[in-house]
Amino acid sequence: MPNELPLFPPEASTMAGRVDALYWFMVSMSGLICLGVFGAMFIFIVRYRRRAGNEVGQRVTGTTPIELTWTLIPLGLAMIPFVWGATLYLDMARPPDDSLEIFIVAKQWMWKAEHPEGQAEIDELHVPVGRPIKLTMTSQDVIHSFFVPDFRIKADVLPGRYTTTWFQATRPGEYHLFCAEYCGTGHSRMTGQVIAMQPADYAAWLQGGPTQSPAQQGRKLFEQLGCIACHETGIAPNLQGVYGQPVKLSDGQTVVADDNYIRESILDPTAKVVAGYQPIMPSFAGRVNDEQILQLIAYIKSIGPQPGGQQPGGTQPSPGPLPSPLPLPEVPSPSASSFAPLKDRPSGSRAQ
């Protein structure tokens, strides 16, 4: 029924049918409750209308069963969409373990996507059909919202932190991508396309782009920034196998080394200092952009556990006296054209 109405987009993901089923259930239940309320009103208006002028109403007693009925039945009806919606929300919030992760950076007024193999594109997102796609997203300026109606997904994209969403396309095609959060004067132009392809076609598409993955670019940037001087010599925690693991801090707290923790450690390294180490790391705020931070995170994700089963993150003190904060090396800035205004580059162009 929904697909026959032009107001309803087609169902093109594994979640779309589940979202529509919940929607139509709530519409149907709301309609039935509405009919019941208005029906009862009509009956009461007719039956208990005022008649003779000397007629006096009688006091009603023993209403406990009626009150329990009109309380428990609506409660039970309300719990059905609550449990249904909560289950659906949790499933949509937890990407499968075998998801293909793609980085999304939003900027007034464009979307930039970077694939694990290194391909980057603007205002287009190529994905394979039949495989879960995890999107790790951030914004360079204001709040945006990644919205693909045909997939029934919408997730806010926030500056200064990472949000995630996922989907699995069920059929090839081109699907509209919108920003669903007003983000400035060019908000209506912040559109794009998600292009779902057969796996073989997607593999062929990947062959047409660069072969340096975000993790490889992150390793190169890791060296250019001089991070090796501390993180691979014992002065700073060893980062092998640290991603996703608990890290003990100098104040006794324990945090999980996820994307947001790593981002904060790069931009504000004194916010959470690892136990056993001194806060000597300089801040790289203003030195690396969001795309480069994602590359560094991809590199840290890619390096495996330390040899010998050493605890990731390290808590052993560094040997000898600690040096002063290291000077920041010169790092070439990314090409300005990578995030040029949307009007200055054609929609759907592949970033270099």
Side-chain angles (χ1 to χ4, degrees):
M1 178 172 57
N3 293 336
E4 298 175 359
L5 301 176
L7 293 178
F8 292 89
E11 300 175 358
S13 74
T14 53
M15 285 294 176
R18 298 176 60 185
V19 172
D20 288 353
L22 176 58
Y23 171 80
W24 285 111
F25 172 81
M26 295 184 66
V27 169
S28 302
M29 291 302 300
S30 298
L32 291 175
I33 293 173
C34 183
L35 290 176
V37 170
F38 279 93
M41 288 175 57
F42 179 78
I43 293 173
F44 294 159
I45 289 172
V46 173
R47 182 172 180 178
Y48 300 106
R49 69 188 183 277
R50 184 172 181 177
R51 294 181 175 87
N54 61 351
E55 188 176 25
V56 179
Q58 297 179 357
R59 182 179 180 182
V60 179
T61 59
T63 60
T64 300
I66 297 176
E67 294 179 5
L68 288 175
T69 299
W70 73 42
T71 299
L72 296 178
I73 290 180
L75 176 62
L77 293 176
M79 290 303 296
I80 295 175
F82 171 77
V83 174
W84 190 347
T87 302
L88 181 58
Y89 172 82
L90 291 175
D91 290 344
M92 296 178 71
R94 295 179 294 192
D97 294 336
D98 60 343
S99 298
L100 174 66
E101 184 173 19
I102 298 177
F103 297 123
I104 300 291
V105 178
K107 182 182 186 297
Q108 293 172 318
W109 288 278
M110 57 184 287
W111 301 98
K112 181 172 182 179
E114 187 167 10
H115 295 254
E117 294 78 11
Q119 287 76 8
E121 47 187 339
I122 292 176
D123 293 334
E124 284 189 353
L125 175 59
H126 289 74
V127 297
V129 169
R131 181 173 182 184
I133 307 297
K134 175 185 176 182
L135 303 179
T136 298
M137 306 179 292
T138 189
S139 169
Q140 282 197 327
D141 36 50
V142 299
I143 298 176
H144 301 280
S145 187
F146 189 94
F147 178 41
V148 184
D150 294 350
F151 295 163
R152 310 298 193 269
I153 62 167
K154 183 168 75 70
D156 286 344
V157 184
L158 308 176
R161 60 172 294 185
Y162 296 110
T163 56
T164 61
T165 188
W166 76 278
F167 63 89
Q168 180 175 326
T170 55
R171 56 183 181 180
E174 298 181 1
Y175 304 101
H176 293 296
L177 164 64
F178 300 100
C179 177
E181 183 78 24
Y182 180 73
C183 55
T185 56
H187 166 68
S188 61
R189 295 188 289 116
M190 192 169 176
T191 61
Q193 287 184 323
V194 178
I195 303 173
M197 314 170 71
Q198 294 292 354
D201 296 332
Y202 177 74
W205 177 84
L206 289 176
Q207 300 301 318
T211 57
Q212 194 173 41
S213 68
Q216 293 171 328
Q217 297 176 51
R219 172 64 185 185
K220 182 178 180 181
L221 185 60
F222 193 79
E223 297 173 351
Q224 291 177 340
L225 293 171
C227 305
I228 293 179
C230 293
H231 285 287
E232 296 189 4
T233 59
I235 297 176
N238 194 306
L239 301 179
Q240 283 187 290
V242 71
Y243 185 83
Q245 299 298 319
V247 176
K248 188 174 182 180
L249 305 180
S250 58
D251 60 3
Q253 298 184 24
T254 300
V255 297
V256 176
D258 57 8
D259 294 23
N260 286 300
Y261 167 78
I262 296 174
R263 176 190 177 90
E264 182 183 42
S265 298
I266 295 172
L267 301 180
D268 186 11
T270 60
K272 294 182 176 68
V273 180
V274 177
Y277 294 91
Q278 296 297 318
I280 64 170
M281 177 176 169
S283 171
F284 289 91
R287 297 284 301 173
V288 292
N289 60 24
D290 287 295
E291 185 180 7
Q292 292 173 317
I293 294 174
L294 287 170
Q295 292 169 356
L296 289 170
I297 293 175
Y299 167 64
I300 294 173
K301 287 182 181 180
S302 69
I303 53 181
Q306 301 177 42
Q310 187 177 352
Q311 180 69 21
T315 56
Q316 74 281 5
S318 56
L322 294 169
S324 302
L326 299 176
L328 291 172
E330 292 297 325
V331 180
S333 300
S335 171
S337 63
S338 296
F339 289 99
L342 184 60
K343 64 181 181 180
D344 293 334
R345 65 188 293 129
S347 174
S349 59
R350 178 174 293 184
Q352 301 299 323

